[in-house]
C-alpha cells in the first residue's frame, strides 16, 4: 500500500492588463472598459469557486443537523452488507453505519482520487494539503498514525478516533456488486486488513460501534470507530 501524494501543478500566467493602446482617447476608454470587464469576470469566477469549495469541504465540527447528508451508493451499501455478513459468519455483531465516518471516508477517497500517486513512501492513508484538514505522508511504520486517528474530529462532530482500511483498483469492475465483492476479497487476503474487519490480533479486544464507507472511482476507504455516532446513519442513494 505504499503510495505518494502528488501535488497538482498550477500554471501561472502573467496577464498583460496594463499595456494601453497609443492611439486616441476612444481606444483608451475601450481598452480600459475591457480591462474592467476582465477583472469583473475573474472576481465572479473566484467567488463562485470559493463558494463551491466551501460548500463541499469547509464544514468542520458539524453536528447532526449540519452534517452533509451524502448518500451511500449501491456499491457502498453492498460493501457494508458484505462486511457485516462476513462478520456474522465469524460470530461477530454487525457494525452500524455512521454518517460522520462515511463523510470522512467519502472525502478521503475523493482526495486520493484527485491527489494520490503510486510511487514513493506515502501510502493510501496519506492526506493532501488543505486548509480544512491536516496533511500527512503516512508511511508503513505508522509514525503518523495520529493523522488518521484525528480525521473524524477534524471533519465532523464525531469525538472518537478513526481507523481506516483502504483499497485501490486501477480497473474496477463496471458492475457495482461485483466491485464490492472484489474489495472484500482483497481485504480478506491481506492479514492486516482482515484483522481489522474481524477484530483479530491487536484488534481482538476492540468493539467497533461505527463504520463509514466511501468510494470514489478506483479508491475505496472504510473507517471504523469505537464510539457510536451521534449523527446517526447515512442516507441511502435511491
Amino acid at each position: 500500500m505504499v503510495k505518494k501524494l502528488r501535488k497538482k501543478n498550477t500554471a501561472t500566467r502573467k496577464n498583460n492588463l496594463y499595456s494601453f493602446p497609443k492611439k486616441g482617447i476612444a481606444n483608451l476608454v475601450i481598452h480600459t472598459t475591457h480591462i474592467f470587464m476582465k477583472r469583473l469576470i475573474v472576481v465572479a469566477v473566484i467567488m463562485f469557486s470559493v463558494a463551491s469549495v466551501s460548500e463541499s469541504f469547509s464544514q468542520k465540527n458539524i453536528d447532526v443537523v449540519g452534517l452533509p447528508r451524502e448518500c451511500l451508493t449501491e456499491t457502498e451499501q453492498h460493501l457494508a452488507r458484505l462486511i457485516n455478513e462476513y462478520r456474522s459468519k465469524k460470530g461477530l455483531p454487525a457494525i452500524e453505519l455512521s454518517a460522520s465516518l462515511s463523510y470522512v471516508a467519502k472525502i478521503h477517497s475523493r482526495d486520493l482520487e484527485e491527489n494520490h500517486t503510486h510511487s514513493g513512501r506515502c501510502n493510501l492513508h496519506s492526506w493532501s494539503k488543505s486548509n480544512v484538514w491536516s496533511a500527512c505522508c503516512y508511511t508503513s511504520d505508522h509514525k503518523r498514525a495520529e493523522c488518521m486517528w484525528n480525521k473524524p474530529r477534524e471533519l465532523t462532530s464525531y469525538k472518537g478516533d478513526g481507523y481506516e482500511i483502504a483499497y485501490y483498483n486501477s480497473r474496477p469492475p463496471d458492475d457495482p456488486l461485483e466491485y464490492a465483492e472484489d474489495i472484500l476479497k482483497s481485504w480478506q487476503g491481506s492479514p492486516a486488513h482482515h484483522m481489522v474487519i474481524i477484530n483479530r490480533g491487536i484488534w481482538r479486544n476492540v468493539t467497533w460501534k461505527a463504520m463509514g464507507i466511501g468510494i470514489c472511482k478506483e479508491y475505496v476507504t472504510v473507517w471504523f470507530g469505537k464510539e457510536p455516532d451521534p449523527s446517526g446513519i447515512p442516507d441511502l442513494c435511491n
Side-chain angles (χ1 to χ4, degrees):
M1 295 199 310
V2 178
K3 320 275 181 174
K4 183 179 180 181
L5 294 175
R6 69 172 182 270
K7 296 182 180 178
K8 289 191 172 180
N9 295 324
T10 54
T12 57
R13 299 191 310 169
K14 293 183 178 179
N15 296 317
N16 188 16
L17 297 179
Y18 300 101
S19 56
F20 288 94
K22 298 179 179 179
K23 294 184 179 180
I25 298 299
N27 286 341
L28 178 60
V29 171
I30 291 171
H31 191 71
T32 304
T33 303
H34 181 63
I35 294 170
F36 174 78
M37 292 304 296
K38 270 188 173 182
R39 289 179 175 176
L40 187 61
I41 291 170
V42 169
V43 170
V45 169
I46 291 173
M47 290 179 67
F48 176 80
S49 300
V50 170
S52 299
V53 171
S54 176
E55 182 179 352
S56 300
F57 295 103
S58 68
Q59 304 184 38
K60 297 180 66 176
N61 300 322
I62 39 190
D63 56 18
V64 177
V65 177
L67 185 67
R69 308 304 295 191
E70 292 196 45
C71 63
L72 292 189
T73 65
E74 184 180 10
T75 305
E76 292 164 345
Q77 294 174 44
H78 190 53
L79 180 56
R81 284 195 299 270
L82 289 177
I83 289 174
N84 278 328
E85 287 172 3
Y86 182 61
R87 284 175 56 85
S88 178
K89 292 177 182 178
K90 299 291 184 179
L92 297 168
I95 310 170
E96 186 170 270
L97 281 169
S98 156
S100 296
L101 295 184
S102 291
Y103 178 70
V104 175
K106 284 176 174 288
I107 291 295
H108 193 206
S109 294
R110 190 182 310 163
D111 179 42
L112 291 171
E113 195 278 326
E114 293 176 352
N115 298 299
H116 194 261
T117 58
H118 298 279
S119 60
R121 300 169 58 243
C122 306
N123 64 31
L124 287 177
H125 302 308
S126 303
W127 288 73
S128 68
K129 289 184 178 179
S130 170
N131 61 354
V132 177
W133 59 72
S134 59
C136 69
C137 172
Y138 199 107
T139 51
S140 58
D141 56 15
H142 303 288
K143 287 185 177 180
R144 298 296 308 276
E146 74 283 351
C147 181
M148 177 196 298
W149 300 338
N150 293 338
K151 281 301 174 292
R153 289 185 290 274
E154 291 180 11
L155 295 168
T156 75
S157 59
Y158 189 81
K159 301 302 182 184
D161 290 343
Y163 303 88
E164 178 191 57
I165 58 176
Y167 170 86
Y168 170 80
N169 185 343
S170 60
R171 299 182 65 183
D174 293 329
D175 181 79
L177 305 186
E178 182 185 350
Y179 190 16
E181 291 166 0
D182 286 353
I183 295 165
L184 181 57
K185 285 178 183 177
S186 175
W187 284 334
Q188 288 170 332
S190 169
H193 297 93
H194 191 218
M195 288 189 291
V196 175
I197 294 172
I198 60 171
N199 297 109
R200 295 291 190 269
I202 63 172
W203 309 101
R204 63 184 177 277
N205 295 322
V206 174
T207 301
W208 299 129
K209 296 294 183 66
M211 176 172 65
I213 296 180
I215 299 175
C216 185
K217 299 179 181 179
E218 65 268 34
Y219 290 93
V220 182
T221 61
V222 175
W223 286 71
F224 299 90
K226 300 176 184 178
E227 291 79 23
D229 182 9
S231 294
I233 63 175
D235 294 333
L236 305 180
C237 302
N238 296 327

